[in-house]
Amino acid sequence: MKPLEVTLKEQGKIKHLTNKTFCFPKSIADGFYSANYFLKTRNIVLKHLKNHKVTMQFFARTDDAMLCGIDEVLALIKTFAKNPTQLKIEALNDGDLMKANEPVLKITGRYEDFGYLESLIDGILARRSSVATNTYRIKKVLGKKYDMFSMADRQDDYLTQVGDGYASYVAGVRKVSTDAQGLWWGGHGVGTMPHALIQMCGGDIVKACKLYHATYPNEKVTALIDYHNDVITDSLKVAKVLGRHLGAVRVDTSKALIDKYFKNKNTKGFDPHGVCKELIFALRKALDNHGYRYVRIIVSSSFDLAKIKEWVKLKVPVDVFGVGSALVVNNTVGFTGDLVRLDNKPQAKVGRKDIPNKRLKIVKL
């Protein structure tokens, strides 16, 4: 592995990654974010067990998972470990696929120099790899035919946006909602209108679209067309007025509602609530029949891996999936750090051992 400053740049995953990319609270150095027993252990080691060389090994228990957070962890170690250049670090890369129980990171050196960072390393790898894995699995299903838009900014504390946006980027997402989600990889938030704009126009969807176009004349309009729960009628209304200025319509119907299209129609055999596939098939047909084949369809609201798999299999005519909470489920991948060697000899609790992994590469801090 090359030095941190060029690792992902040379992989083509990060354009301007440096050790300063990741901003850490200074209080990490004081142990503010470390589990108390690690701090106590460090004090004991400093008084009674100094200068023993240990190897700490990190792994997850999840198959078909995408690793993420390694470069952030390397920056953490470089910033807060004592004598970081004296540590031997072996690691995989952000974006690598990993198997259950496969070591993805090994740190060898004096425990007192880095041991108190264990729980922070676990947490960074768990969060980033969970988001990257969630994104990777959905992107794998979507393939090249469908696109995806991350709407995960609203699904968690705002402080998670930067790291989550980076993790989704590593897994292949390029469309995000906020500038924060694109901070570490040079991206910017994109989007058109929320329901609030339509509400401010007194519920007039056409007016909202015209005002958007007047304000951003160089952008195609994506009309949010579920405000009146009459998706097909409002889509055709907007398309007739905007013509080629309309790039897409987005359907975001609540799961608690049934679109007016299904009134007096037989819905036996399927659930007509929310953004259902039957509504999207009907919408595509209506747009095409009225000469609006160029208008793309974006769907959002409660899309997860299982629903997306079903829709792709059935070839539902969607161009872009807006995905939020399914990306930031934080228990997809959990990491464990264990000491497995002491002074170059095997030493670990029962059930743990130093596991060789030829894929690990030496990291230079």
Side-chain angles (χ1 to χ4, degrees):
M1 184 179 293
K2 300 292 180 65
L4 176 63
E5 287 79 3
V6 298
T7 299
L8 289 187
K9 182 178 179 181
E10 291 192 352
Q11 292 178 25
K13 294 177 180 177
I14 295 293
K15 294 180 179 179
H16 51 74
L17 181 67
T18 71
N19 194 52
K20 295 180 180 179
T21 297
F22 309 102
C23 299
F24 301 107
K26 293 181 180 178
S27 53
I28 288 177
D30 301 322
F32 186 70
Y33 292 93
S34 292
N36 186 259
Y37 62 178
F38 291 133
L39 301 178
K40 289 181 175 179
T41 298
R42 187 184 185 202
N43 288 335
I44 294 169
V45 170
L46 284 170
K47 289 183 178 181
H48 306 289
L49 297 167
K50 287 178 66 175
N51 298 320
H52 287 285
K53 183 182 290 187
V54 299
T55 296
M56 186 175 289
Q57 173 178 276
F58 293 85
F59 68 94
R61 296 180 176 86
T62 309
D63 272 321
D64 191 32
M66 178 169 282
L67 177 63
C68 191
I70 286 292
D71 282 74
E72 189 175 354
V73 165
L74 297 179
L76 178 83
I77 295 170
K78 184 172 183 178
T79 305
F80 296 105
K82 306 298 181 182
N83 307 304
T85 58
Q86 295 181 23
L87 299 174
K88 178 184 177 182
I89 300 177
E90 303 165 272
L92 299 183
N93 290 304
D94 283 347
D96 282 346
L97 296 180
M98 56 183 175
K99 300 177 181 178
N101 302 313
E102 177 186 16
V104 302
L105 173 66
K106 290 186 180 184
I107 307 170
T108 300
R110 293 177 300 194
Y111 181 86
E112 58 266 34
D113 285 347
F114 71 93
Y116 84 109
L117 297 173
E118 178 182 335
S119 57
L120 281 83
I121 294 171
D122 281 333
I124 289 172
L125 293 177
R127 178 76 186 196
R128 304 292 175 254
S129 296
S130 288
V131 175
T133 298
N134 296 334
T135 307
Y136 152 72
R137 290 175 178 175
I138 291 175
K139 288 286 291 181
K140 185 177 179 181
V141 171
L142 294 178
K144 296 181 179 180
K145 183 178 180 180
Y146 304 92
D147 201 356
M148 187 170 84
F149 175 48
S150 173
M151 304 176 70
D153 57 294
R154 67 203 67 191
Q155 305 300 333
D156 211 329
D157 185 282
Y158 73 95
L159 292 174
T160 65
Q161 288 187 29
V162 175
D164 289 352
Y166 165 74
S168 285
Y169 172 78
V170 167
V173 166
R174 299 296 180 267
K175 291 183 175 68
V176 294
S177 301
T178 71
D179 288 351
Q181 290 171 290
L183 180 64
W184 285 351
W185 52 275
H188 296 282
V190 296
T192 52
M193 67 180 67
H195 294 100
L197 179 60
I198 302 170
Q199 190 270 351
M200 291 290 289
C201 292
D204 188 334
I205 295 178
V206 172
K207 180 180 178 181
C209 291
K210 291 172 73 174
L211 289 178
Y212 184 92
H213 177 59
T215 308
Y216 300 99
N218 296 323
E219 294 183 14
K220 294 282 189 180
V221 177
T222 294
L224 186 54
I225 39 83
D226 61 280
Y227 189 88
H228 298 293
N229 199 37
D230 197 0
V231 161
I232 294 177
T233 299
D234 283 342
S235 293
L236 295 176
K237 187 186 298 183
V238 169
K240 182 178 181 181
V241 174
L242 292 184
R244 289 282 177 174
H245 295 303
L246 180 65
V249 292
R250 177 161 74 93
V251 187
D252 191 55
T253 308
S254 166
K255 289 192 296 184
L257 299 175
I258 297 176
D259 191 89
K260 291 179 181 178
Y261 169 77
F262 294 110
K263 186 177 181 180
N264 300 322
K265 287 185 172 61
N266 181 10
T267 59
K268 187 176 181 180
F270 70 92
D271 183 0
H273 288 83
V275 187
C276 63
K277 56 185 180 296
E278 291 78 11
L279 178 62
I280 302 305
F281 275 117
L283 173 60
R284 182 73 271 167
K285 182 178 180 181
L287 287 169
D288 291 353
N289 288 346
H290 287 79
Y292 305 121
R293 292 180 181 274
Y294 58 86
V295 176
R296 303 206 303 165
I297 295 177
I298 301 172
V299 295
S300 54
S301 185
S302 304
F303 278 88
D304 58 15
L305 180 60
K307 186 172 182 178
I308 291 173
K309 274 185 177 180
E310 179 192 12
W311 282 41
V312 169
K313 182 179 180 180
L314 296 174
K315 298 181 179 179
V316 181
V318 172
D319 296 287
V320 182
F321 287 87
V323 186
S325 57
L327 297 185
V328 294
V329 175
N330 197 35
N331 60 358
T332 305
V333 184
F335 279 83
T336 297
D338 290 311
L339 292 179
V340 293
R341 297 188 73 84
L342 176 64
D343 296 329
N344 298 318
K345 296 179 181 179
Q347 181 59 243
K349 70 176 184 179
V350 173
R352 299 284 195 269
K353 63 179 180 179
D354 185 9
I355 301 174
N357 185 359
K358 293 182 180 179
R359 296 209 297 155
L360 293 174
K361 303 297 181 183
I362 296 292
V363 176
K364 296 179 181 178
L365 292 182

